Amino acid sequence: AQSVTQLDSQVPVFEEAPVELRCNYSSSVSVYLFWYVQYPNQGLQLLLKYLSGSTLVESINGFEAEFNKSQTSFHLRKPSVHISDTAEYFCAVKGGATNKLIFGTGTLLAVQP
Amino acid sequence: GAGVSQSPSNKVTEKGKDVELRCDPISGHTALYWYRQSLGQGLEFLIYFQGNSAPDKSGLPSDRFSAERTGGSVSTLTIQRTQQEDSAVYLCASSLVESNTQYFGPGTRLTVL
């Protein structure tokens, strides 16, 4: 069975500062990894994903995540955040024969001016 | 193109009543998923439909919960004899069968009084 751990429930950061949101997973099989973002009162939006190939994946709005198999991690980073990045971020894993996503508990990114 | 749509966006009901939640997947997506997002349990998988195959119901929390998918498109999640612990946001997602990427709708917020 797979599981996902997001240790930080909330990350406060000042605007234009760098940020890293941590995600670790557990799985006995190869996995696909995802970051979803949820803005207030909205559904989940796919931010980026790792399926295969390059271990560094990027989104169109400046976020990136690196798949590290040895550390079973998929941390999300952005070098300079904006107020508009304030949202909850969910890491998810999908692996083996199952089609369901297993989500972490989410990290609230709170960007302050 | 149009994304996943869900209706109603909000539903308030009394304990013991039955409710139906609807999901319209992205056109052409043959895989459809239901998840539940609640404060206590985070994001949980409920059920998965793929074409004409038997659905994966492994995430349904009790026999009060059921879902169907008519004509390989629209899906309805039914909760019978609602309880207060059923209060949550119910999210629907869809994907192409050959894709590992799920796209989510805006959700239905269910409140059981």
Side-chain angles (χ1 to χ4, degrees), chain B residues 54-73:
Chain B
D56 176 357
K57 305 180 182 179
S58 61
L60 294 179
S62 78
D63 58 8
R64 296 186 295 104
F65 287 72
S66 63
E68 63 176 17
R69 189 177 185 192
T70 54
S73 180

Side-chain angles (χ1 to χ4, degrees), chain A residues 32 34 36 38 41-44 46 49 51 90 94 98-101 103-104, chain B residues 33 35 37 43 45 48 56 58 91 99-107 109:
Chain A
Y32 304 111
F34 306 83
Y36 283 86
Q38 187 173 37
N41 299 313
Q42 294 188 28
L44 293 169
L46 179 66
K49 60 187 177 183
L51 302 180
F90 292 91
K94 179 176 178 290
T98 180
N99 290 288
K100 63 184 178 184
L101 289 171
F103 286 91
Chain B
Y33 312 77
Y35 293 85
Q37 184 176 24
L43 274 155
F45 165 80
Y48 161 68
D56 176 357
S58 61
L91 295 165
S99 168
N100 289 293
T101 305
Q102 298 177 25
Y103 296 90
F104 284 79
R109 182 175 297 277

Side-chain angles (χ1 to χ4, degrees), chain A residues 7-23:
Chain A
L7 287 174
D8 305 308
S9 60
Q10 186 168 350
V11 174
V13 63
F14 288 107
E15 193 172 20
E16 298 184 6
V19 71
E20 178 179 81
L21 306 183
R22 295 179 293 169
C23 172

